[in-house]
Amino acid sequence: MKYCVHCGAQIHDEAVICVKCGCSVEQPASSVANQVSEDDTMNTVIKVFLIFGCIAQGWMLLPLAWCLPITISIFNRMRDNKPIGTGLKVCTLLFVSFIAGICLLCKNENA
């Protein structure tokens, strides 16, 4: 048995529509594929702005000392599909790239 994501009613495993609320219990395949595509696009945008932020601050050696570790940490977490903490997102916003930080804070993570 599984539960409806809309009303919480218990339904059969094979059910496509909830008998209590009438909502579809399965996500259409196109919306799942579309969400993956949007995640890939958002990750690419974030990575580009992180690199731009590191290059822009590269002439100052001290800020680069925290830009590179933050950028590398985010790249590794994206590669491994690990969640990125809010503190790291805020540090990205403040110290590396304003746009990348905003995108990270707005990114929908399902981890």
Side-chain angles (χ1 to χ4, degrees):
M1 296 298 261
K2 62 182 180 179
Y3 296 92
C4 176
V5 295
H6 302 283
C7 68
Q10 191 174 19
I11 53 177
H12 292 285
D13 291 333
E14 300 86 26
V16 179
I17 297 174
C18 175
V19 291
K20 184 174 180 185
C21 68
C23 293
S24 175
V25 293
E26 294 182 9
Q27 264 190 330
S30 63
S31 70
V32 172
N34 192 19
Q35 183 179 4
V36 170
S37 174
E38 288 175 6
D39 287 347
D40 289 344
T41 304
M42 181 67 89
N43 286 345
T44 303
V45 168
I46 291 168
K47 288 178 181 180
V48 167
F49 280 105
L50 285 171
I51 292 170
F52 283 158
C54 286
I55 291 170
Q57 295 184 34
W59 63 276
M60 301 179 290
L61 293 178
L62 188 60
L64 193 61
W66 62 72
C67 289
L68 285 177
I70 290 172
T71 300
I72 291 168
S73 177
I74 290 174
F75 269 62
N76 289 338
R77 289 177 181 275
M78 285 182 176
R79 182 193 64 217
D80 299 336
N81 289 325
K82 291 183 178 177
I84 301 170
T86 305
L88 188 57
K89 292 176 182 181
V90 171
C91 286
T92 301
L93 175 90
L94 296 174
F95 301 122
V96 182
S97 170
F98 186 74
I99 297 172
I102 296 275
C103 290
L104 280 169
L105 288 166
C106 293
K107 184 178 176 198
N108 195 10
E109 293 189 85
N110 298 328

